[in-house]
Amino acid sequence: VQLQASGGGLVQPGWSLGLSCAASGSIRSISGMGWYRQAPGKQRELVATIARGGVTNYVDSVKGRFTISRDSAKNAVYLQMNSLNPEDTAVYYCNIRGFYGSMWSSFDSWGQGTQVTVSS
């Protein structure tokens, strides 16, 4: 299962940006989706997750500013980022987990990463 992420870019502080990530392949079921980010010199950190039932989870630093959502029909996950600040600058990675193929094999796939830069 491959993931294709898009939507990164350069924005000014206070602006908004949306990220998208879609999975392709013989997907049977998706159990979880999420976004992670890695800033220069730092470890990759969880940003937000959304479970199959729609329950969401956010890192404290983005609560109230970021919204994760999913489109089950498209096997896609989105991240709407508002009120961006320079501390949000990082490479953002999407992650989707689930089952695929006739044997219902499990997968845990990552997108290629998309750069988000917040700077004036």
Side-chain angles (χ1 to χ4, degrees), residues 46-59:
L46 169 71
V47 177
T49 61
I50 183 166
R52 183 173 182 176
V55 176
T56 59
N57 179 53
Y58 298 91
V59 66

Side-chain angles (χ1 to χ4, degrees), residues 82-117:
N82 299 327
S83 300
L84 285 161
N85 59 61
E87 290 69 39
D88 297 315
T89 296
V91 177
Y92 284 70
Y93 298 90
C94 56
N95 172 250
I96 299 179
R97 304 177 304 281
F99 300 90
Y100 74 101
S102 61
M103 299 299 289
W104 286 76
S105 302
S106 64
F107 72 91
D108 185 348
S109 297
W110 291 85
Q112 78 278 20
T114 183
Q115 178 70 46
V116 173
T117 302

Side-chain angles (χ1 to χ4, degrees), residues 5-120:
S6 61
L10 171 63
V11 296
Q12 295 185 8
W15 286 23
S16 297
L17 198 61
L19 304 180
S20 301
C21 177
S24 61
S26 302
I27 297 170
R28 292 284 191 168
S29 175
I30 291 178
S31 55
M33 295 173 153
W35 288 94
Y36 295 72
R37 66 186 179 186
Q38 187 167 18
K42 296 186 177 181
Q43 292 186 333
R44 186 175 299 188
E45 68 167 351
L46 169 71
V47 177
T49 61
I50 183 166
R52 183 173 182 176
V55 176
T56 59
N57 179 53
Y58 298 91
V59 66
D60 286 346
S61 61
V62 308
K63 286 181 179 177
R65 300 188 298 121
F66 290 13
T67 302
I68 188 171
S69 61
R70 62 188 291 172
D71 184 333
S72 298
K74 296 181 178 180
N75 295 322
V77 60
Y78 309 96
L79 186 68
Q80 178 62 38
M81 305 181 291
N82 299 327
S83 300
L84 285 161
N85 59 61
E87 290 69 39
D88 297 315
T89 296
V91 177
Y92 284 70
Y93 298 90
C94 56
N95 172 250
I96 299 179
R97 304 177 304 281
F99 300 90
Y100 74 101
S102 61
M103 299 299 289
W104 286 76
S105 302
S106 64
F107 72 91
D108 185 348
S109 297
W110 291 85
Q112 78 278 20
T114 183
Q115 178 70 46
V116 173
T117 302
V118 184
S119 176
S120 56

